[in-house]
Amino acid sequence: MANRPAKVTETEVTRAIKGVAKAGIEIGEVRVNAVTGEVTIFSKDAARNTHGKQGAAYLDEMLGIQ
């Protein structure tokens, strides 16, 4: 298998995490998609809520729609 350049580097992930922390947001979870190189950072509250609830119910609650 040939070596290929990484879609996302550790430096890029670190920079994103530091930026979110500097904005005053508590980080709860970081996901990196190795195929696309997409870095997704969830706040502490969002990470806690996404593990307990799924889909439309979570979005309704988050938006205050009952």
Side-chain angles (χ1 to χ4, degrees), residues 7-65:
K7 294 280 185 176
V8 63
T9 65
E10 183 177 354
T11 303
E12 292 169 333
V13 174
T14 302
R15 188 176 296 131
I17 291 170
K18 286 183 179 181
V20 171
K22 188 175 181 180
I25 299 170
E26 289 187 78
I27 297 171
E29 183 176 348
V30 178
R31 294 182 189 171
V32 179
N33 185 325
V35 176
T36 64
E38 178 182 18
V39 178
T40 307
I41 301 174
F42 294 93
S43 69
K44 198 170 202 173
D45 292 333
R48 187 175 330 125
N49 289 334
T50 57
H51 292 298
K53 299 179 181 179
Q54 296 292 325
Y58 169 67
L59 290 175
D60 288 348
E61 183 180 322
M62 190 173 85
L63 295 171
I65 302 169

